Amino acid sequence: MSDAENKSLWGGRFEKSTDEMINEFQASINFDKRMYREDIEGSTAHAKMLAKCGIISEEDSEKIIAGLQKILKRIEDGEFKFSVDLEDIHMNIEKALTDDIGEAGGRLHTARSRNDQVALDTHLYVRRQVREIQKLIIELQTELIKAAEKNSEVIMPGYTHLQRAQPILFAHHLLAYFSMLQRDFSRFAGVYERADIMPLGAGALAGTTFPIDRNFVAEELNFEAIYSNSLDAVSDRDYILEFLSAASILMVHLSRLSEEIILWVSREFSFVELDDAHCTGSSMMPQKKNPDVPELVRGKSGRVIGHLVALLTTVKALPLAYNKDLQEDKEGIFDAIDTIKFSLSVYSQIIAGMKVRAENMRRAVEEDFSNATDLADYLVKKGIPFREAHAISGKLVHYCIDRGVFLKNLSIDEFKKFSEVFAEDIYEAIKPETCVKNRNSLGGTSYTQVDRQIFSAKNIIDEEILKLPEKFR
Ligand code: ARG
């Protein structure tokens, strides 16, 4: 077979070209082409290093770098033709470069393997995406703070077991999600740290015979650290697993928020209403206004969790070092990235457009027994042991249920039948405002505590912004 027939980059060892279907099966170009920028960035740093270390000439290095810039432009202008025969983004770009600049292009891959190259590209890609995601987390946190401030007096029932439990401020509920997102932000900061390690120079697995300078590459690409073991450098997918874990937890948070919003917009709750622009109707039932966005976010959380489980399963029995199984890391993380970025963005809009039906929340608090703990606490403050106070309050609730009334409807004489210590001040003590105001323990739902949370949440946002590099702010 002539050279012309076997066009692949490893043609030398083979007598036959790869089967067409096998080619397609192996190829990752359809999804890894989204790392073109990182691939060019990495190759540029590598070419600079090769020249600096005297491994290739300055002239070749310059030709390579200029050639890569032209390819970058062609890709961004949509003029680059990606080929499945060339398997992946690395070989597509290298082949185009060699076609363009000739022999110099053939020198680019000196002291490098696709194994450390793909690792480098993915590290660069994940690093950038983490920053974009952190920015979107801040945006959603900001919307939550705004909604909390706008509704700082609104009282709703807080739930346990989805049963009305104690009155809380709606703002307090929203700020719980702020705190969850704060942990998500910091988890992604951890992911960044573990993605901020430079793998290039590991070669295929064992390092290289050329006198390379890995520190130079790390500095060029702004990496904090360098993999100290070449086998680890090409085999490590921990940072992707960590990314997917952080992404899964974030999606679980958004899914829980979604579940609540879906409940809240139902007729049964009617606590909030979503903006018309964020809902859809039914093709059959004219009255419907469906919370599709929260439902979809809740649904999509399953798929991100799926990507995490898939990659854990892929990696768990892999021997060192590179195995083609590792190519399976990409579709999952790419999809997870798209999914969380989209979900965060739509959620900022959902929160911004959400109308709060304070009167309905109020009714749910008034027409129930979520002030029963406050009744017990009242008795305790009058000297009765809590256990006994709990029993008395329980009996009072039972008494009310039998009569179809609420605690506030009882006369003082009725109260006194259950305990002598009841006085006129009981009515004030069981008002929703009092219940809320009195939960003034650190982190509680009182007005003062919630104001403090809002104040500190704003400071946290400022700190988070400062943790992002300028261009991502
Ligand atoms: N497309 C491959 C991947 O994503 C690149 C590395 C391939 N290396 C190899 N020796 N086949 O993992």
Side-chain angles (χ1 to χ4, degrees):
M1 188 182 70
S2 71
D3 272 2
E5 268 174 282
N6 195 335
K7 291 190 293 270
S8 74
L9 290 176
W10 50 72
R13 160 75 175 75
F14 289 76
E15 286 186 357
K16 275 191 194 169
S17 300
T18 320
D19 176 272
E20 218 171 285
M21 190 166 76
I22 301 294
N23 244 348
E24 211 178 311
F25 183 68
Q26 299 224 76
S28 52
I29 186 63
N30 286 331
F31 48 88
D32 67 16
K33 65 178 170 212
R34 69 153 94 187
M35 299 196 303
Y36 70 86
R37 233 194 295 172
E38 288 73 17
D39 198 71
I40 287 171
E41 220 187 320
S43 289
T44 303
H46 182 65
K48 273 190 201 167
M49 182 277 290
L50 290 176
K52 187 205 152 258
C53 297
I55 300 167
I56 63 172
S57 68
E58 265 317 324
E59 201 194 328
D60 281 348
S61 173
E62 278 161 23
K63 268 195 203 157
I64 291 170
I65 294 165
L68 287 171
Q69 280 311 306
K70 282 199 190 123
I71 292 173
L72 177 65
K73 184 158 183 335
R74 257 158 61 204
I75 296 176
E76 296 198 320
D77 293 347
E79 280 160 15
F80 190 90
K81 222 181 139 320
F82 293 102
S83 151
V84 173
D85 291 343
L86 291 165
E87 213 181 299
D88 55 27
I89 186 64
H90 325 297
M91 294 201 288
N92 268 270
I93 290 178
E94 193 188 323
K95 177 73 166 47
L97 182 71
T98 315
D99 288 349
D100 287 356
I101 67 168
E103 210 182 89
R107 298 191 196 279
L108 170 62
H109 210 53
T110 315
R112 183 175 78 169
S113 152
R114 273 185 302 150
N115 299 350
D116 56 347
Q117 185 181 0
V118 72
L120 177 66
D121 293 4
T122 318
H123 279 73
L124 289 168
Y125 190 79
V126 169
R127 261 192 351 186
R128 179 158 63 87
Q129 293 301 326
V130 164
R131 292 313 192 197
E132 289 181 13
I133 287 161
Q134 285 182 304
K135 184 165 181 254
L136 293 172
I137 292 176
I138 294 175
E139 278 169 25
L140 177 53
Q141 285 180 306
T142 306
E143 289 306 331
L144 286 167
I145 298 175
K146 277 195 222 156
E149 274 187 308
K150 210 164 64 186
N151 299 286
S152 63
E153 307 270 294
V154 175
I155 296 177
M156 71 181 290
Y159 293 80
T160 63
H161 312 271
L162 206 56
Q163 305 280 320
R164 289 173 199 166
Q166 290 173 348
I168 58 170
L169 288 178
F170 180 61
H172 193 52
H173 199 123
L174 293 179
L175 290 169
Y177 284 97
F178 176 92
S179 296
M180 291 148 88
L181 289 166
Q182 184 191 342
R183 289 193 296 276
D184 291 323
F185 184 94
S186 111
R187 254 185 293 278
F188 276 106
V191 174
Y192 188 95
E193 229 178 87
R194 253 90 59 206
D196 200 13
I197 312 175
M198 209 286 296
L200 204 73
L205 73 163
T208 168
T209 54
F210 293 94
I212 57 168
D213 183 348
R214 298 184 71 202
N215 284 302
F216 177 86
V217 177
E219 260 165 51
E220 275 295 297
L221 298 172
N222 199 19
F223 275 99
E224 188 61 39
I226 298 174
Y227 276 92
S228 55
N229 180 300
S230 62
L231 291 174
D232 184 40
V234 288
S235 312
D236 178 29
R237 294 298 182 273
D238 291 0
Y239 65 105
I240 301 184
L241 289 170
E242 279 191 58
F243 180 97
L244 291 171
S245 310
S248 296
I249 298 171
L250 169 66
M251 283 306 285
V252 165
H253 290 161
L254 295 184
S255 181
R256 295 179 79 171
L257 178 57
S258 297
E259 174 67 15
E260 301 207 283
I261 290 177
I262 293 161
L263 287 170
W264 292 344
V265 299
S266 71
R267 193 75 160 163
E268 284 70 12
F269 278 80
S270 300
F271 285 180
V272 301
E273 203 179 311
L274 299 183
D275 198 289
D276 278 0
H278 301 153
C279 294
T280 59
S282 156
S283 55
M284 185 191 201
M285 300 165 281
Q287 84 283 13
K288 292 292 286 275
K289 179 174 164 184
N290 296 328
D292 297 51
V293 173
E295 286 172 69
L296 257 181
V297 170
R298 185 178 58 184
K300 285 178 190 293
S301 63
R303 113 178 206 194
V304 176
I305 295 166
H307 295 318
L308 169 63
V309 176
L311 188 61
L312 284 168
T313 314
T314 298
V315 173
K316 90 175 169 57
L318 273 193
L320 303 183
Y322 181 83
N323 300 271
K324 186 83 166 188
D325 315 43
L326 290 175
Q327 181 168 288
E328 284 293 304
D329 61 356
K330 279 173 212 67
E331 283 160 289
I333 194 172
F334 292 162
D335 184 65
I337 287 167
D338 294 344
T339 306
I340 54 179
K341 283 168 92 175
F342 219 160
S343 301
L344 283 166
S345 304
V346 293
Y347 243 104
S348 290
Q349 284 201 43
I350 290 278
I351 299 297
M354 185 171 74
K355 284 183 212 68
V356 176
R357 296 283 171 245
E359 54 312 337
N360 296 336
M361 293 189 186
R362 177 78 196 191
R363 201 173 314 121
V365 171
E366 295 268 359
E367 295 174 4
D368 209 74
F369 296 94
S370 56
N371 51 2
T373 315
D374 300 83
L375 182 74
D377 287 356
Y378 170 90
L379 293 170
V380 170
K381 283 166 193 160
K382 303 251 172 184
I384 295 180
F386 179 75
R387 254 319 129 225
E388 199 181 317
H390 185 284
I392 296 170
S393 306
K395 282 180 196 152
L396 270 158
V397 169
H398 197 150
Y399 178 87
C400 288
I401 291 171
D402 279 350
R403 284 159 184 74
V405 296
F406 299 103
L407 292 167
K408 64 177 179 186
N409 306 122
L410 299 180
S411 69
I412 191 69
D413 292 336
E414 285 174 297
F415 273 120
K416 278 188 182 297
K417 267 195 261 169
F418 290 82
S419 169
E420 264 311 309
V421 304
F422 278 117
E424 276 299 330
D425 57 355
I426 181 60
Y427 297 104
E428 186 59 35
I430 57 172
K431 276 193 187 149
E433 283 76 11
T434 318
C435 302
V436 165
K437 192 181 80 205
N438 286 344
R439 289 210 161 67
N440 199 26
S441 51
L442 187 68
T445 193
S446 75
Y447 303 97
T448 316
Q449 292 297 329
V450 170
D451 279 350
R452 256 190 222 172
Q453 282 184 63
I454 292 175
F455 180 80
S456 96
K458 287 180 182 170
N459 287 334
I460 288 164
I461 294 271
D462 291 342
E463 285 163 23
E464 286 176 350
I465 291 172
L466 285 179
K467 283 183 187 147
L468 295 185
E470 208 100 33
K471 64 176 172 184
F472 291 99
R473 285 179 198 164

